[in-house]
């Protein structure tokens, strides 16, 4: 049976870490979502290509979310040719779950302040709600684009009811404890030979070691 309220967390997950997992858990709890889908991007259009193969990033997500009944892996983007446009992914999910299901796209503030650069970004709010969380190094005060600021002003609500009771169209800012963890810092730490324990689950670290990932990351 399709859950009534689904959250979607897209990312490169290169690698997945506790910043992602805690973000998903906090948003699920605050907005009373019944399921969170982790959607690894194959070829993210907004940034440099990931260092790790899509299948390896998927494997790390699978290991990281194992045992949490709220969390589900959705690997549709790695099976689709071309860039991973979020609007296409959301439209495909919407077609599967039906018009009534509440869908919420989850993102950190660093992603949201660049949201106006996403392909057909305005259409995304016709398909889903958006939940934004603060992240160290980025705040919503950094929204510079006038069109995005206007949409944010019009759609931002403090009531969490729409996120389970209506299918799409609202934006919520969800307070979460700030975790200054990034995949970039994890890759750099591994390259430098430093431990990444307590930044990402042990199962992910085991996989990184087995596959010898990020050993040659260039620290820029
Ligand atoms: P990289 O360092 O390689 O850019 P990342 O750590 O930002 O990676 P992504 O996979 O690009 O991870 O992030 C996916 C989503 O998760 C984005 O919306 C991002 O804002 C959010 N996110 C990642 N880390 C955190 C964090 N520590 N706190 C809040 N949100 C986060």
């Amino acid at each position: 049976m399709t859950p009534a309220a689904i959250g979607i967390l897209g990312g490169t997950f290169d690698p997945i870490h506790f910043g992602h997992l805690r973000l998903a858990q906090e948003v699920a709890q605050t907005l009373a979502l019944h399921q969170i889908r982790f959607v690894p991007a194959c070829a993210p259009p907004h940034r440099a290509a990931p260092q790790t193969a899509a299948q390896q990033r998927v494997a790390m997500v699978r290991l990281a979310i194992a045992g949490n009944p709220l969390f589900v892996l959705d690997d549709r983007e790695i099976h689709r040719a071309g860039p991973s446009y979020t609007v296409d992914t959301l439209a495909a999910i919407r077609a599967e779950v039906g018009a009534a299901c509440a869908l919420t796209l989850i993102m950190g503030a660093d992603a949201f302040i660049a949201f106006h650069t996403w392909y057909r970004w305005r259409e995304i709010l016709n398909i889903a709600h958006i939940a934004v969380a603060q992240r160290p190094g980025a705040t919503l005060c950094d929204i510079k684009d006038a069109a995005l600021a206007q949409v944010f002003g019009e759609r931002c609500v403090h009531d969490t009811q729409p996120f389970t009771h209506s299918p799409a169209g609202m934006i919520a800012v969800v307070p979460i404890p700030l975790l200054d963890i990034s995949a970039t810092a994890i890759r750099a730490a591994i390259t430098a030979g430093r431990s990444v324990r307590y930044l990402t689950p042990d199962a992910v670290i085991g996989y990184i070691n087995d596959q010898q990932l990020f050993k040659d990351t260039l620290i820029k």
Side-chain angles (χ1 to χ4, degrees):
M1 206 178 81
T2 303
I6 298 174
I8 292 151
L9 178 58
T12 34
F13 302 124
D14 191 22
I16 190 167
H17 52 70
F18 283 131
H20 300 123
L21 295 164
R22 195 62 215 168
L23 167 67
Q25 187 71 28
E26 292 277 350
V27 171
Q29 250 168 302
T30 303
L31 300 181
L33 306 181
H34 305 125
Q35 180 186 86
I36 304 287
R37 294 191 187 188
F38 287 73
V39 185
C42 184
H46 309 288
R47 50 176 292 159
Q51 295 196 358
T52 313
Q55 290 294 356
Q56 290 173 314
R57 293 182 289 109
V58 165
M60 290 189 279
V61 171
R62 192 177 280 118
L63 288 167
I65 67 176
N68 187 334
L70 265 182
F71 290 177
V72 169
L73 169 69
D74 184 331
D75 63 358
R76 73 184 64 225
E77 288 192 358
I78 71 156
H79 300 300
R80 203 166 64 210
S84 306
Y85 290 120
T86 300
V87 69
D88 296 334
T89 300
L90 291 173
I93 293 174
R94 171 61 72 201
E96 288 166 17
V97 299
C101 179
L103 288 180
T104 299
L105 179 65
I106 301 167
M107 61 179 90
D110 59 311
F112 187 75
I113 60 180
F115 185 54
H116 60 284
T117 65
W118 292 25
Y119 181 60
R120 287 162 46 202
W121 64 278
R122 290 171 187 276
E123 284 175 50
I124 288 178
L125 276 163
N126 297 333
I127 310 174
H129 300 296
I130 294 179
V132 192
Q134 296 292 357
R135 183 175 183 187
T139 85
L140 296 175
C141 306
D142 295 334
I143 297 177
K144 297 282 187 291
D145 183 75
L148 180 59
Q150 187 185 347
V151 167
F152 182 62
E154 288 167 0
R155 303 295 188 109
C156 192
V157 291
H158 299 288
D159 177 8
T160 58
Q161 274 227 344
F163 290 81
T164 40
H165 289 80
S166 72
M170 298 298 150
I171 301 172
V173 180
V174 177
I176 66 168
L178 295 185
L179 292 177
D180 195 358
I181 303 175
S182 70
T184 302
I186 290 176
R187 294 192 300 270
I190 293 169
T191 306
R194 285 181 312 192
S195 168
V196 294
R197 262 191 117 173
Y198 312 122
L199 296 175
T200 186
D202 288 346
V204 174
I205 296 174
Y207 184 88
I208 289 170
N209 290 337
D210 286 350
Q211 301 277 314
Q212 297 277 299
L213 301 181
F214 312 122
K215 296 286 185 222
D216 303 321
T217 305
L218 284 173
I219 305 172
K220 294 183 187 137

